[in-house]
């Protein structure tokens, strides 16, 4: 082999091993991690490594994007989280006494230009008493010889398949998926409180070889009653112990409008002001209203306002009126028959007030009359005749002087009739 043929090969190897190679530098600055599975109550170690740190420190964050460690500096005050190793090329931390709330994606970041990240999915398994054939059996470290069943807690399900609004009577297909369960969870569908018959749950083993991803789909024809309905996918698993773990998808259904005419006041009379409200419903809501009267050729009104106004009702306004509510989904016509009644006096507030005052006065007068009647009756029953000494003998006297003389004589006569006993 000549020098001319060897030289290009040597140049290729030199460029490949050069520390300043662009592709090599880009790969070496990307950190990497691994997914971890841990039993609830145990300890998990999260390791993040990078070849070329570019004079920057590594950082660990929890699923809530809270910084746990930045290099060797603790950021979150949680004594369960401890530093295992911190070098320019590696940042490892441990989480002890792991709980179900610790499950999720942890992020390792290195603040280069641009910032590079790596994800580590932590799956928490729960240990319960054995006795289920679909679980793995293992010896308990606390109770030797006592088997435990390792249960994977299913993650919150995700619903896909809904893209945009549906027209009435169209068919919708929704898919639901949840990973991390062991044994495999079951999925159910509901529309509000109504259960939907979905496809049987499909089971697939996760890459970690320990847990499962389950999926299911549901298909149904939508109606106008489904507009704004929430479609729920729920996970059923023994580890949840009855707790709800579900996802919902709200759907929008487009349908033709409906309308109803409402009079205000309900019983119109001649001379009153009347408003006929055309109440349109639909999705989208009606944007145009056309008012017509049977027997009248031109339309009465074409407007975005749904009310037809009569400032002063006449007998000639009686008849059948139609309101056509229109949207881009179609139109609907409602009818109302107007019968204008004869005018009738309506009591005003002042006359009502006077009537109340008159009633109160009549009641007081009635009480006074009753009181006078009882008082007169009482006086009649106690009426009598009272005579004084001066009036004695006045009954038989022919005149007043004689009556006085008789009265005086009567007094002296009374004195003469006195008897004395010695």
């Amino acid at each position: 082999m000549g020098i001319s043929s060897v030289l290009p090969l040597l140049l290729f190897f030199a460029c490949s091993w050069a520390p300043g190679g662009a592709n090599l530098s880009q790969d070496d600055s990307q950190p990497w991690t691994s997914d971890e599975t841990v039993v609830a109550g145990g300890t998990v170690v999260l390791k993040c490594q990078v070849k070329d740190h570019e004079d920057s420190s590594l950082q660990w964050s929890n699923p809530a994007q809270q910084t746990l460690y930045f290099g060797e500096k603790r950021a979150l005050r949680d004594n369960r989280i401890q530093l295992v190793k911190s070098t320019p090329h590696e940042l490892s931390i441990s989480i002890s006494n792991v709980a179900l709330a610790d499950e999720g994606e942890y992020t390792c970041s290195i603040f280069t230009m641009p910032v590079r990240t790596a994800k580590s999915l932590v799956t928490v398994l729960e240990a319960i008493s054995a006795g289920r054939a679909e679980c793995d059996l293992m010896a308990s470290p606390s109770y030797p010889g006592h088997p435990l069943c390792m249960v994977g807690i299913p993650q919150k399900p995700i619903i896909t398949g809904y893209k945009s609004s549906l027209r009435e009577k169209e068919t919708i297909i929704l898919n639901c998926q949840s990973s991390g369960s062991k044994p495999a969870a079951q999925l159910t569908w509901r529309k509000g409180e109504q259960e939907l018959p979905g496809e049987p749950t499909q089971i697939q083993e996760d890459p970690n070889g320990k847990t499962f991803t389950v999926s299911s789909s549901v298909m149904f024809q939508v109606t106008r009653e489904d507009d704004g309905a929430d479609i729920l996918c729920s996970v059923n698993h023994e580890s949840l112990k009855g707790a709800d773990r579900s996802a919902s998808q709200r759907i929008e259904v487009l349908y033709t409008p409906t309308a109803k005419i409402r009079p205000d006041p309900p019983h119109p009379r001649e001379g009153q002001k009347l408003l006929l409200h055309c109440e349109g419903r639909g999705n989208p809501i009606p944007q145009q209203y056309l008012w017509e009267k049977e027997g009248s050729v031109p339309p009465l009104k074409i407007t975005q306002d749904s009310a037809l106004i009569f400032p002063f009702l006449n007998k000639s306004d009686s008849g059948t009126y139609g309101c056509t509510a229109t949207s881009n989904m179609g139109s609907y016509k409602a009818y109302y028959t107007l019968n204008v009644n004869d005018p009738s006096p309506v009591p005003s507030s002042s006359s009502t007030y006077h009537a109340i005052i008159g009633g109160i006065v009549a009641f007081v007068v009635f009480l006074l009359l009753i009181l006078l009647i009882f008082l007169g009756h009482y006086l009649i029953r106690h009426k009598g005749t009272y005579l004084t000494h001066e009036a004695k003998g006045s009954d038989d006297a022919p005149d007043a002087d004689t009556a006085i003389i008789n009265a005086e004589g009567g007094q002296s006569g009374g004195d003469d009739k006195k008897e004395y006993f010695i």
Side-chain angles (χ1 to χ4, degrees), residues 210-231:
K210 300 178 181 179
T211 58
F212 299 92
T213 294
V214 293
S215 60
S216 176
S217 61
V218 66
M219 179 177 63
F220 61 95
Q221 189 180 68
V222 298
T223 64
R224 62 180 59 201
E225 287 76 17
D226 295 329
D227 182 38
D230 290 322
I231 310 300

